């Protein structure tokens, strides 16, 4: 369990930054801590699925997993205003292009 704690602490700033960025992009009133919690779920999933032999840096791989987990969490939390859904779809489209 200590390995997980160390891993989470190492990437806490990364996850928090993505949560804040997503919150600002979508204009959400959601508590940042809720978004960070969703992001940590994505981070742990990214660690399980990461394959270093693919030649991609972990942070690059984790970025999309963390952001996707945050977006999934926001969707599951509550119904969003139409404008927020439109922003979320645009953000997802940009992620897929990258």
């Amino acid at each position: 369990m200590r390995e997980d704690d160390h891993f989470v602490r190492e990437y806490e700033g990364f996850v928090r930054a993505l949560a804040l960025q997503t919150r600002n992009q979508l204009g959400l009133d959601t508590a940042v801590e809720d978004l960070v919690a969703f992001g940590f779920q994505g981070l742990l999933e990214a660690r399980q699925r990461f394959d270093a032999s693919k030649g991609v840096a972990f942070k690059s791989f984790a970025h999309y997993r963390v952001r996707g987990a945050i977006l999934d969490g926001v969707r599951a939390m509550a119904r969003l205003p139409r404008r927020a859904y439109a922003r979320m779809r645009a953000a997802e489209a940009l992620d897929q292009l990258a």
Side-chain angles (χ1 to χ4, degrees):
M1 209 45 145
R2 292 175 195 249
E3 184 179 325
D4 287 342
D5 292 341
H6 176 71
F7 179 77
V8 166
R9 272 187 255 124
E10 181 179 349
Y11 288 98
E12 183 175 2
F14 172 71
V15 172
R16 186 168 295 281
L18 278 173
L20 287 169
Q21 178 186 36
T22 303
R23 182 175 183 242
N24 291 336
Q25 272 184 336
L26 299 178
L28 300 172
D29 291 331
T30 307
V32 174
E33 293 307 317
D34 290 339
L35 300 179
V36 169
F38 295 135
F40 279 130
Q41 290 173 348
L43 180 70
L44 294 174
E45 181 184 328
R47 183 175 76 167
Q48 290 175 344
R49 293 177 178 229
F50 180 67
D51 183 1
S53 69
K54 301 283 185 186
V56 176
F58 176 74
K59 268 194 171 179
S60 297
F61 178 79
H63 177 274
Y64 296 102
R65 291 275 177 197
V66 170
R67 185 168 163 83
I70 291 169
L71 293 173
D72 288 345
V74 167
R75 264 191 222 104
M77 281 179 65
R79 184 183 154 148
L80 293 175
R82 188 181 312 167
R83 186 182 296 173
Y85 270 123
R87 288 182 192 150
M88 192 172 6
R89 282 192 297 270
E92 287 174 339
L94 286 173
D95 283 350
Q96 287 181 355
L97 287 175

Coordinates of all heavy atoms in Angstrom, one line a residue:
M1 N 0.8 -1.2 0.0 CA 0.0 0.0 0.0 C 0.9 1.3 0.0 O 0.5 2.3 -0.5 CB -0.9 -0.1 1.2 CG -2.2 0.6 1.1 SD -3.1 0.3 -0.4 CE -4.7 0.3 0.2
R2 N 2.0 1.2 0.6 CA 2.9 2.4 0.6 C 3.4 2.8 -0.8 O 3.6 3.9 -1.0 CB 4.1 2.1 1.5 CG 3.7 2.0 3.0 CD 4.9 1.6 3.8 NE 4.4 1.1 5.1 CZ 4.6 1.8 6.3 NH1 5.3 2.9 6.2 NH2 4.2 1.3 7.4
E3 N 3.5 1.8 -1.6 CA 3.9 2.1 -3.0 C 2.8 2.9 -3.7 O 3.1 3.9 -4.4 CB 4.1 0.8 -3.8 CG 4.6 1.0 -5.2 CD 4.9 -0.3 -5.9 OE1 5.3 -1.2 -5.3 OE2 4.6 -0.3 -7.1
D4 N 1.5 2.6 -3.4 CA 0.4 3.4 -4.0 C 0.4 4.8 -3.4 O 0.2 5.7 -4.2 CB -0.9 2.7 -3.7 CG -1.2 1.4 -4.5 OD1 -0.5 1.3 -5.5 OD2 -2.0 0.6 -4.1
D5 N 0.6 4.9 -2.1 CA 0.7 6.2 -1.5 C 1.8 7.1 -2.1 O 1.5 8.3 -2.4 CB 0.9 6.1 0.0 CG -0.3 5.5 0.7 OD1 -1.4 5.5 0.1 OD2 -0.1 5.0 1.8
H6 N 2.9 6.5 -2.3 CA 4.0 7.3 -2.9 C 3.7 7.7 -4.3 O 4.0 8.8 -4.7 CB 5.3 6.4 -2.8 CG 6.5 7.1 -3.5 ND1 7.1 8.2 -3.0 CD2 7.1 6.8 -4.7 CE1 8.1 8.6 -3.8 NE2 8.1 7.8 -4.8
F7 N 3.1 6.8 -5.1 CA 2.8 7.0 -6.5 C 1.8 8.2 -6.5 O 1.9 9.1 -7.4 CB 2.2 5.8 -7.1 CG 1.8 5.9 -8.5 CD1 2.7 6.0 -9.5 CD2 0.4 6.0 -8.8 CE1 2.3 6.1 -10.8 CE2 0.0 6.2 -10.1 CZ 1.0 6.2 -11.1
V8 N 0.7 8.1 -5.7 CA -0.3 9.1 -5.7 C 0.3 10.5 -5.3 O 0.0 11.5 -5.9 CB -1.5 8.8 -4.7 CG1 -2.4 9.9 -4.5 CG2 -2.2 7.6 -5.4
R9 N 1.2 10.5 -4.3 CA 1.8 11.8 -3.9 C 2.7 12.4 -5.0 O 2.7 13.6 -5.2 CB 2.6 11.6 -2.6 CG 1.8 11.8 -1.4 CD 2.6 11.8 -0.1 NE 2.3 10.5 0.5 CZ 3.2 9.6 0.8 NH1 4.5 9.9 0.7 NH2 2.9 8.5 1.4
E10 N 3.3 11.5 -5.7 CA 4.2 11.9 -6.8 C 3.5 12.6 -7.9 O 3.9 13.6 -8.5 CB 5.0 10.7 -7.4 CG 5.9 11.0 -8.5 CD 6.6 9.8 -9.0 OE1 6.6 8.7 -8.4 OE2 7.3 9.9 -10.1
Y11 N 2.3 12.2 -8.2 CA 1.5 12.7 -9.3 C 0.3 13.6 -8.9 O -0.5 14.0 -9.7 CB 1.0 11.6 -10.2 CG 2.1 11.0 -11.0 CD1 2.7 9.8 -10.6 CD2 2.5 11.6 -12.2 CE1 3.7 9.3 -11.4 CE2 3.5 11.1 -12.9 CZ 4.1 9.9 -12.5 OH 5.1 9.3 -13.2
E12 N 0.3 13.9 -7.6 CA -0.8 14.8 -7.1 C -0.9 16.1 -7.8 O -2.0 16.5 -8.2 CB -0.7 15.0 -5.6 CG -1.8 15.7 -5.0 CD -1.7 15.9 -3.5 OE1 -0.7 15.4 -2.9 OE2 -2.7 16.5 -2.9
G13 N 0.2 16.8 -8.0 CA 0.1 18.1 -8.7 C -0.4 18.0 -10.1 O -1.1 18.8 -10.6
F14 N 0.1 16.9 -10.8 CA -0.4 16.6 -12.1 C -1.9 16.5 -12.2 O -2.5 17.1 -13.1 CB 0.4 15.4 -12.6 CG 0.0 14.8 -14.0 CD1 0.3 15.5 -15.1 CD2 -0.7 13.6 -14.0 CE1 -0.1 15.0 -16.4 CE2 -1.1 13.1 -15.3 CZ -0.8 13.8 -16.4
V15 N -2.4 15.6 -11.3 CA -3.9 15.4 -11.3 C -4.6 16.6 -11.0 O -5.6 17.0 -11.6 CB -4.2 14.2 -10.4 CG1 -5.7 14.0 -10.2 CG2 -3.6 12.9 -10.9
R16 N -4.1 17.3 -10.0 CA -4.8 18.6 -9.5 C -4.8 19.6 -10.7 O -5.9 20.3 -10.9 CB -4.1 19.1 -8.3 CG -4.9 20.3 -7.7 CD -4.3 20.6 -6.3 NE -4.5 19.6 -5.3 CZ -5.7 19.4 -4.7 NH1 -6.7 20.2 -5.0 NH2 -5.8 18.4 -3.8
A17 N -3.7 19.7 -11.4 CA -3.7 20.7 -12.5 C -4.7 20.3 -13.6 O -5.4 21.2 -14.1 CB -2.3 20.7 -13.0
L18 N -4.8 19.0 -13.9 CA -5.8 18.6 -14.9 C -7.2 18.8 -14.4 O -8.1 19.2 -15.2 CB -5.6 17.1 -15.3 CG -4.5 16.9 -16.3 CD1 -4.3 15.4 -16.4 CD2 -4.8 17.5 -17.6
A19 N -7.4 18.6 -13.1 CA -8.8 18.8 -12.6 C -9.1 20.3 -12.7 O -10.3 20.7 -13.1 CB -8.8 18.3 -11.1
L20 N -8.2 21.2 -12.3 CA -8.5 22.6 -12.4 C -8.7 23.1 -13.8 O -9.6 23.9 -14.1 CB -7.4 23.4 -11.7 CG -7.3 23.3 -10.2 CD1 -6.0 23.9 -9.7 CD2 -8.5 24.1 -9.6
Q21 N -7.8 22.6 -14.7 CA -8.0 22.9 -16.1 C -9.3 22.5 -16.7 O -10.0 23.3 -17.4 CB -6.8 22.3 -16.9 CG -6.9 22.6 -18.4 CD -5.8 21.8 -19.1 OE1 -5.5 20.6 -18.8 NE2 -5.3 22.4 -20.1
T22 N -9.7 21.3 -16.4 CA -11.0 20.8 -16.8 C -12.2 21.6 -16.3 O -13.1 22.0 -17.0 CB -11.2 19.3 -16.5 OG1 -10.0 18.6 -17.1 CG2 -12.4 18.7 -17.0
R23 N -12.1 21.9 -15.0 CA -13.1 22.7 -14.3 C -13.3 24.1 -15.0 O -14.4 24.5 -15.2 CB -12.8 22.8 -12.8 CG -13.8 23.6 -12.1 CD -13.4 23.6 -10.6 NE -14.5 24.2 -9.8 CZ -14.3 25.3 -9.1 NH1 -13.1 25.9 -9.0 NH2 -15.3 25.9 -8.4
N24 N -12.1 24.7 -15.2 CA -12.2 26.0 -15.9 C -12.7 26.0 -17.3 O -13.4 26.8 -17.7 CB -10.8 26.7 -15.8 CG -10.4 27.1 -14.4 OD1 -11.3 27.2 -13.5 ND2 -9.1 27.1 -14.1
Q25 N -12.2 25.0 -18.1 CA -12.6 24.8 -19.5 C -14.1 24.6 -19.6 O -14.7 25.1 -20.5 CB -11.9 23.6 -20.1 CG -10.6 23.9 -20.7 CD -10.0 22.7 -21.4 OE1 -10.4 21.6 -21.1 NE2 -9.1 22.9 -22.3
L26 N -14.7 23.8 -18.7 CA -16.1 23.5 -18.8 C -17.0 24.5 -18.0 O -18.2 24.4 -18.1 CB -16.3 22.1 -18.3 CG -15.6 21.0 -19.1 CD1 -15.9 19.6 -18.4 CD2 -16.0 21.0 -20.5
G27 N -16.4 25.4 -17.2 CA -17.1 26.3 -16.4 C -18.0 25.7 -15.4 O -19.1 26.1 -15.1
L28 N -17.4 24.7 -14.7 CA -18.1 23.9 -13.7 C -18.1 24.6 -12.3 O -17.1 25.2 -12.0 CB -17.5 22.5 -13.6 CG -17.6 21.6 -14.8 CD1 -16.8 20.4 -14.6 CD2 -19.0 21.3 -15.2
D29 N -19.1 24.4 -11.5 CA -19.1 24.8 -10.1 C -18.8 23.7 -9.2 O -18.8 23.8 -8.0 CB -20.5 25.3 -9.8 CG -20.8 26.6 -10.5 OD1 -19.9 27.4 -10.8 OD2 -22.0 26.9 -10.8
T30 N -18.4 22.5 -9.7 CA -18.1 21.3 -9.0 C -16.9 21.6 -8.1 O -15.9 22.3 -8.5 CB -17.8 20.2 -9.9 OG1 -18.9 20.0 -10.8 CG2 -17.6 18.9 -9.2
A31 N -16.9 21.0 -6.9 CA -15.7 21.1 -6.0 C -14.5 20.5 -6.7 O -14.6 19.4 -7.3 CB -16.0 20.4 -4.7
V32 N -13.4 21.2 -6.6 CA -12.1 20.7 -7.2 C -11.8 19.3 -6.6 O -11.3 18.4 -7.3 CB -11.0 21.7 -7.0 CG1 -9.7 21.1 -7.5 CG2 -11.3 23.0 -7.7
E33 N -12.0 19.1 -5.3 CA -11.6 17.9 -4.7 C -12.4 16.7 -5.3 O -11.8 15.6 -5.4 CB -11.8 17.9 -3.2 CG -10.9 18.9 -2.5 CD -9.4 18.7 -2.8 OE1 -9.0 17.5 -2.8 OE2 -8.7 19.7 -3.0
D34 N -13.6 16.9 -5.7 CA -14.3 15.8 -6.4 C -13.7 15.5 -7.7 O -13.5 14.3 -8.0 CB -15.8 16.2 -6.6 CG -16.6 16.3 -5.4 OD1 -16.2 15.7 -4.3 OD2 -17.6 17.0 -5.4
L35 N -13.3 16.5 -8.4 CA -12.6 16.2 -9.7 C -11.3 15.5 -9.5 O -10.9 14.7 -10.3 CB -12.5 17.5 -10.5 CG -13.8 18.3 -10.8 CD1 -13.5 19.6 -11.5 CD2 -14.7 17.4 -11.6
V36 N -10.6 16.0 -8.5 CA -9.3 15.4 -8.2 C -9.4 13.9 -7.9 O -8.7 13.0 -8.3 CB -8.5 16.1 -7.1 CG1 -7.3 15.4 -6.6 CG2 -8.1 17.5 -7.5
A37 N -10.5 13.6 -7.1 CA -10.7 12.2 -6.8 C -11.0 11.3 -8.0 O -10.5 10.2 -8.2 CB -11.9 12.1 -5.8
F38 N -11.8 11.8 -8.9 CA -12.0 11.2 -10.2 C -10.7 11.0 -10.9 O -10.4 10.0 -11.5 CB -13.0 11.9 -11.1 CG -14.4 12.0 -10.5 CD1 -15.1 13.2 -10.5 CD2 -15.0 10.9 -10.0 CE1 -16.4 13.3 -10.0 CE2 -16.3 11.0 -9.5 CZ -17.0 12.2 -9.5
G39 N -9.9 12.0 -10.9 CA -8.6 12.0 -11.6 C -7.7 11.0 -11.1 O -7.0 10.3 -11.8
F40 N -7.7 10.8 -9.7 CA -6.8 9.7 -9.1 C -7.3 8.3 -9.6 O -6.4 7.5 -9.7 CB -6.8 9.8 -7.6 CG -5.9 10.9 -7.1 CD1 -6.3 11.8 -6.2 CD2 -4.6 11.0 -7.6 CE1 -5.4 12.8 -5.7 CE2 -3.7 11.9 -7.1 CZ -4.1 12.9 -6.2
Q41 N -8.6 8.1 -9.7 CA -9.0 6.9 -10.3 C -8.4 6.6 -11.6 O -8.0 5.5 -11.9 CB -10.6 6.8 -10.3 CG -11.2 6.8 -9.0 CD -12.7 6.9 -9.1 OE1 -13.3 7.3 -10.1 NE2 -13.4 6.6 -8.0
G42 N -8.4 7.6 -12.5 CA -7.8 7.5 -13.8 C -6.3 7.3 -13.8 O -5.8 6.5 -14.6
L43 N -5.7 7.9 -12.8 CA -4.2 7.8 -12.7 C -3.9 6.3 -12.3 O -3.0 5.8 -12.9 CB -3.7 8.7 -11.6 CG -2.2 8.7 -11.3 CD1 -1.4 9.3 -12.5 CD2 -1.9 9.4 -10.0
L44 N -4.6 5.8 -11.4 CA -4.3 4.4 -11.0 C -4.6 3.4 -12.1 O -3.9 2.4 -12.3 CB -5.1 4.0 -9.7 CG -4.7 4.8 -8.5 CD1 -5.6 4.5 -7.3 CD2 -3.2 4.5 -8.1
E45 N -5.7 3.7 -12.9 CA -6.0 2.9 -14.0 C -4.8 3.0 -15.1 O -4.4 2.0 -15.7 CB -7.3 3.3 -14.7 CG -7.7 2.5 -15.9 CD -9.0 2.9 -16.5 OE1 -9.8 3.4 -15.8 OE2 -9.0 2.8 -17.8
A46 N -4.4 4.2 -15.3 CA -3.3 4.4 -16.2 C -2.0 3.6 -15.8 O -1.3 3.1 -16.7 CB -2.9 5.9 -16.3
R47 N -1.7 3.6 -14.5 CA -0.6 2.9 -14.0 C -0.7 1.4 -14.4 O 0.2 0.7 -14.8 CB -0.4 3.1 -12.6 CG 0.9 2.4 -12.1 CD 1.2 2.7 -10.6 NE 0.3 1.9 -9.8 CZ 0.4 1.8 -8.5 NH1 1.4 2.4 -7.9 NH2 -0.4 1.1 -7.8
Q48 N -1.9 0.9 -14.2 CA -2.2 -0.6 -14.5 C -2.0 -0.9 -16.0 O -1.5 -1.9 -16.4 CB -3.5 -1.0 -14.0 CG -3.7 -1.0 -12.5 CD -5.1 -1.3 -12.1 OE1 -6.1 -1.2 -12.9 NE2 -5.3 -1.7 -10.8
R49 N -2.5 0.0 -16.8 CA -2.5 -0.2 -18.3 C -1.3 0.2 -19.0 O -1.1 -0.1 -20.2 CB -3.7 0.4 -18.9 CG -5.0 -0.2 -18.4 CD -6.2 0.6 -19.0 NE -7.4 -0.1 -18.5 CZ -8.4 -0.4 -19.4 NH1 -8.3 -0.1 -20.6 NH2 -9.5 -1.0 -18.9
F50 N -0.4 1.0 -18.4 CA 0.7 1.6 -19.1 C 1.7 0.5 -19.5 O 2.0 -0.4 -18.8 CB 1.5 2.5 -18.1 CG 2.7 3.2 -18.8 CD1 2.5 4.1 -19.8 CD2 3.9 2.9 -18.3 CE1 3.6 4.7 -20.4 CE2 5.0 3.5 -18.9 CZ 4.9 4.4 -20.0
D51 N 2.2 0.6 -20.8 CA 3.1 -0.3 -21.4 C 4.3 0.6 -21.9 O 4.2 1.2 -22.9 CB 2.5 -1.1 -22.5 CG 3.4 -2.1 -23.1 OD1 4.6 -2.2 -22.7 OD2 3.0 -2.8 -24.1
A52 N 5.4 0.5 -21.1 CA 6.6 1.3 -21.5 C 7.2 0.9 -22.8 O 7.8 1.8 -23.5 CB 7.6 1.2 -20.4
S53 N 6.9 -0.3 -23.3 CA 7.5 -0.7 -24.6 C 6.9 0.0 -25.8 O 7.4 -0.1 -26.9 CB 7.3 -2.2 -24.7 OG 6.0 -2.6 -24.9
K54 N 5.8 0.7 -25.6 CA 5.1 1.4 -26.7 C 5.8 2.7 -27.0 O 5.5 3.4 -28.0 CB 3.7 1.7 -26.3 CG 2.8 0.5 -26.0 CD 2.4 -0.2 -27.2 CE 1.5 -1.3 -26.9 NZ 1.2 -2.2 -28.0
G55 N 6.8 3.1 -26.2 CA 7.6 4.3 -26.5 C 6.9 5.6 -26.1 O 7.3 6.7 -26.7
V56 N 5.9 5.6 -25.3 CA 5.2 6.8 -24.9 C 5.5 7.1 -23.4 O 5.6 6.2 -22.6 CB 3.6 6.6 -25.0 CG1 2.9 7.8 -24.5 CG2 3.3 6.3 -26.4
A57 N 5.7 8.4 -23.1 CA 6.0 8.7 -21.7 C 4.8 8.5 -20.8 O 3.6 8.7 -21.3 CB 6.4 10.2 -21.6
F58 N 5.0 8.1 -19.6 CA 3.8 7.8 -18.7 C 2.9 9.0 -18.6 O 1.7 8.9 -18.6 CB 4.3 7.3 -17.3 CG 3.2 7.1 -16.4 CD1 2.3 6.0 -16.5 CD2 2.8 8.0 -15.4 CE1 1.2 5.8 -15.7 CE2 1.7 7.9 -14.6 CZ 1.0 6.7 -14.7
K59 N 3.5 10.2 -18.4 CA 2.6 11.4 -18.2 C 1.7 11.6 -19.4 O 0.6 12.0 -19.3 CB 3.4 12.6 -17.9 CG 3.6 12.8 -16.4 CD 4.1 14.2 -16.1 CE 4.1 14.5 -14.7 NZ 4.6 15.8 -14.3
S60 N 2.3 11.4 -20.6 CA 1.5 11.6 -21.8 C 0.3 10.6 -21.9 O -0.8 10.9 -22.2 CB 2.3 11.4 -23.1 OG 3.3 12.4 -23.1
F61 N 0.6 9.3 -21.5 CA -0.4 8.3 -21.5 C -1.4 8.6 -20.4 O -2.7 8.5 -20.6 CB 0.2 7.0 -21.2 CG -0.7 5.8 -21.1 CD1 -1.2 5.2 -22.3 CD2 -1.1 5.3 -19.9 CE1 -2.1 4.2 -22.2 CE2 -2.0 4.2 -19.8 CZ -2.5 3.7 -21.0
A62 N -1.0 9.0 -19.2 CA -1.8 9.2 -18.1 C -2.7 10.4 -18.3 O -3.8 10.4 -17.8 CB -1.0 9.3 -16.8
H63 N -2.2 11.4 -19.0 CA -3.0 12.6 -19.2 C -4.4 12.3 -19.7 O -5.4 12.8 -19.2 CB -2.3 13.5 -20.2 CG -3.0 14.8 -20.6 ND1 -4.0 14.8 -21.6 CD2 -3.0 16.0 -20.0 CE1 -4.5 16.0 -21.7 NE2 -3.9 16.8 -20.7
Y64 N -4.5 11.4 -20.7 CA -5.8 11.1 -21.3 C -6.7 10.3 -20.4 O -7.9 10.4 -20.4 CB -5.6 10.5 -22.7 CG -4.9 11.5 -23.6 CD1 -3.6 11.4 -23.9 CD2 -5.7 12.5 -24.2 CE1 -3.0 12.3 -24.7 CE2 -5.1 13.5 -25.0 CZ -3.7 13.4 -25.3 OH -3.1 14.3 -26.1
R65 N -6.0 9.4 -19.7 CA -6.8 8.5 -18.7 C -7.3 9.4 -17.6 O -8.5 9.2 -17.2 CB -5.9 7.4 -18.1 CG -5.5 6.4 -19.1 CD -6.5 5.4 -19.2 NE -6.2 4.4 -20.2 CZ -7.0 3.6 -20.8 NH1 -8.3 3.5 -20.4 NH2 -6.6 2.7 -21.7
V66 N -6.5 10.3 -17.1 CA -6.9 11.1 -15.9 C -8.1 12.1 -16.4 O -9.1 12.2 -15.8 CB -5.7 11.9 -15.4 CG1 -6.2 13.0 -14.4 CG2 -4.7 11.0 -14.7
R67 N -7.8 12.7 -17.5 CA -8.8 13.6 -18.0 C -10.2 12.9 -18.3 O -11.2 13.4 -18.0 CB -8.3 14.4 -19.2 CG -9.2 15.4 -19.8 CD -8.5 16.3 -20.8 NE -9.4 17.0 -21.6 CZ -9.9 18.2 -21.2 NH1 -9.6 18.7 -20.1 NH2 -10.8 18.8 -22.0
G68 N -10.0 11.7 -18.9 CA -11.2 11.0 -19.3 C -12.0 10.5 -18.0 O -13.2 10.6 -18.0
A69 N -11.3 10.2 -17.0 CA -11.9 9.8 -15.7 C -12.6 11.0 -15.1 O -13.7 10.8 -14.5 CB -10.9 9.2 -14.7
I70 N -12.0 12.2 -15.2 CA -12.6 13.4 -14.6 C -13.9 13.7 -15.4 O -15.0 13.9 -14.8 CB -11.7 14.6 -14.7 CG1 -10.5 14.4 -13.7 CG2 -12.4 15.9 -14.4 CD1 -9.4 15.4 -13.9
L71 N -13.9 13.6 -16.7 CA -15.1 13.8 -17.6 C -16.1 12.8 -17.3 O -17.3 13.2 -17.2 CB -14.7 13.9 -19.0 CG -13.8 15.0 -19.5 CD1 -13.4 14.8 -20.9 CD2 -14.5 16.3 -19.3
D72 N -15.8 11.5 -17.1 CA -16.7 10.5 -16.8 C -17.4 10.8 -15.5 O -18.6 10.6 -15.3 CB -16.1 9.1 -16.8 CG -15.7 8.6 -18.2 OD1 -16.2 9.2 -19.2 OD2 -14.9 7.7 -18.3
G73 N -16.6 11.2 -14.5 CA -17.1 11.5 -13.2 C -18.1 12.7 -13.2 O -19.1 12.6 -12.5
V74 N -17.7 13.7 -14.0 CA -18.6 14.8 -14.1 C -20.0 14.4 -14.7 O -21.0 14.8 -14.2 CB -18.0 16.0 -14.9 CG1 -19.0 17.0 -15.3 CG2 -16.8 16.6 -14.2
R75 N -19.9 13.6 -15.7 CA -21.1 13.1 -16.3 C -22.0 12.3 -15.4 O -23.2 12.5 -15.4 CB -20.8 12.2 -17.5 CG -20.8 12.9 -18.8 CD -20.7 11.8 -19.9 NE -19.8 12.3 -20.9 CZ -18.5 11.8 -21.1 NH1 -18.1 10.9 -20.3 NH2 -17.8 12.4 -22.0
A76 N -21.3 11.5 -14.5 CA -22.1 10.7 -13.6 C -22.7 11.5 -12.4 O -23.6 11.0 -11.8 CB -21.2 9.6 -13.1
M77 N -22.0 12.6 -12.1 CA -22.5 13.3 -10.9 C -23.8 13.9 -11.0 O -24.6 13.9 -10.1 CB -21.5 14.5 -10.6 CG -20.2 14.0 -10.0 SD -19.1 15.4 -9.7 CE -20.0 16.4 -8.5
A78 N -24.1 14.6 -12.1 CA -25.4 15.2 -12.3 C -25.6 15.7 -13.7 O -24.7 15.7 -14.5 CB -25.4 16.4 -11.3
R79 N -26.8 16.1 -13.9 CA -27.1 16.7 -15.2 C -26.4 18.0 -15.4 O -26.5 18.9 -14.5 CB -28.6 16.8 -15.4 CG -29.0 17.3 -16.7 CD -30.5 17.5 -16.8 NE -30.7 18.5 -17.8 CZ -31.7 18.5 -18.6 NH1 -32.6 17.7 -18.4 NH2 -31.8 19.4 -19.5
L80 N -25.8 18.2 -16.5 CA -25.1 19.5 -16.7 C -25.9 20.4 -17.6 O -26.7 19.9 -18.4 CB -23.7 19.2 -17.4 CG -22.7 18.5 -16.6 CD1 -21.5 18.2 -17.5 CD2 -22.2 19.3 -15.4
P81 N -25.7 21.7 -17.5 CA -26.3 22.6 -18.5 C -25.8 22.3 -19.9 O -24.7 21.8 -20.1 CB -25.8 24.0 -18.0 CG -25.3 23.8 -16.7 CD -24.9 22.4 -16.5
R82 N -26.6 22.6 -20.8 CA -26.3 22.3 -22.2 C -25.0 22.9 -22.7 O -24.2 22.2 -23.4 CB -27.4 22.9 -23.1 CG -27.3 22.5 -24.6 CD -28.3 23.0 -25.4 NE -29.7 22.8 -24.8 CZ -30.8 23.4 -25.2 NH1 -30.7 24.3 -26.2 NH2 -31.9 23.2 -24.7
R83 N -24.6 24.1 -22.2 CA -23.4 24.7 -22.6 C -22.2 23.9 -22.0 O -21.2 23.7 -22.7 CB -23.3 26.1 -22.0 CG -22.1 26.9 -22.5 CD -22.0 28.3 -21.9 NE -23.2 29.1 -22.4 CZ -23.4 30.3 -21.9 NH1 -22.7 30.8 -21.0 NH2 -24.4 31.0 -22.4
A84 N -22.3 23.4 -20.8 CA -21.2 22.6 -20.3 C -21.0 21.3 -21.0 O -19.9 20.9 -21.3 CB -21.5 22.3 -18.8
Y85 N -22.1 20.6 -21.4 CA -22.0 19.4 -22.3 C -21.3 19.7 -23.6 O -20.5 19.0 -24.1 CB -23.4 18.8 -22.5 CG -23.8 17.8 -21.5 CD1 -25.0 18.0 -20.8 CD2 -23.0 16.7 -21.2 CE1 -25.4 17.1 -19.8 CE2 -23.4 15.8 -20.3 CZ -24.6 16.0 -19.6 OH -25.0 15.1 -18.6
A86 N -21.7 20.9 -24.2 CA -21.1 21.2 -25.5 C -19.6 21.4 -25.3 O -18.8 21.0 -26.1 CB -21.7 22.5 -26.0
R87 N -19.2 22.1 -24.2 CA -17.7 22.3 -23.9 C -17.0 21.0 -23.7 O -15.9 20.8 -24.1 CB -17.6 23.2 -22.7 CG -17.9 24.6 -23.0 CD -17.7 25.5 -21.7 NE -18.2 26.8 -21.9 CZ -18.7 27.5 -20.8 NH1 -18.6 27.0 -19.6 NH2 -19.2 28.7 -21.0
M88 N -17.7 20.1 -23.0 CA -17.1 18.8 -22.7 C -16.9 18.0 -24.0 O -15.9 17.4 -24.2 CB -18.0 18.0 -21.7 CG -17.3 16.8 -21.2 SD -18.1 15.9 -19.8 CE -19.7 16.6 -19.6
R89 N -17.9 18.0 -24.8 CA -17.8 17.3 -26.1 C -16.6 17.9 -26.9 O -15.9 17.1 -27.6 CB -19.1 17.3 -26.9 CG -20.1 16.3 -26.3 CD -21.3 16.2 -27.3 NE -22.0 17.4 -27.5 CZ -23.0 17.8 -26.7 NH1 -23.5 17.0 -25.8 NH2 -23.7 18.9 -26.9
A90 N -16.5 19.2 -26.9 CA -15.4 19.8 -27.7 C -14.1 19.5 -27.1 O -13.1 19.2 -27.8 CB -15.6 21.3 -27.7
A91 N -14.0 19.4 -25.8 CA -12.7 19.0 -25.1 C -12.4 17.6 -25.5 O -11.2 17.3 -25.7 CB -12.8 19.2 -23.6
E92 N -13.4 16.7 -25.5 CA -13.1 15.3 -25.8 C -12.7 15.2 -27.2 O -11.8 14.4 -27.6 CB -14.4 14.5 -25.5 CG -14.7 14.2 -24.1 CD -16.0 13.5 -23.9 OE1 -16.9 13.6 -24.8 OE2 -16.1 12.9 -22.8
A93 N -13.3 15.9 -28.1 CA -12.9 15.9 -29.5 C -11.4 16.3 -29.7 O -10.6 15.7 -30.5 CB -13.8 16.8 -30.4
L94 N -11.0 17.4 -29.0 CA -9.6 17.8 -29.0 C -8.7 16.7 -28.5 O -7.6 16.5 -29.1 CB -9.4 19.1 -28.2 CG -10.0 20.3 -28.9 CD1 -9.9 21.5 -27.9 CD2 -9.3 20.7 -30.2
D95 N -9.1 16.0 -27.4 CA -8.3 15.0 -26.9 C -8.1 13.8 -27.9 O -7.0 13.3 -28.0 CB -8.9 14.4 -25.6 CG -8.7 15.3 -24.4 OD1 -7.9 16.3 -24.5 OD2 -9.3 15.0 -23.4
Q96 N -9.1 13.5 -28.6 CA -9.0 12.4 -29.6 C -8.1 12.8 -30.8 O -7.4 12.0 -31.3 CB -10.4 12.0 -30.1 CG -11.2 11.3 -29.1 CD -12.6 10.9 -29.5 OE1 -13.0 11.2 -30.6 NE2 -13.3 10.1 -28.7
L97 N -8.1 14.1 -31.1 CA -7.3 14.6 -32.2 C -5.8 14.5 -31.8 O -5.0 14.2 -32.6 CB -7.7 16.0 -32.7 CG -8.9 16.1 -33.4 CD1 -9.3 17.6 -33.7 CD2 -8.9 15.3 -34.7
A98 N -5.6 14.8 -30.5 CA -4.2 14.8 -30.0 C -3.8 13.4 -29.8 O -2.9 12.8 -30.2 CB -4.1 15.5 -28.7

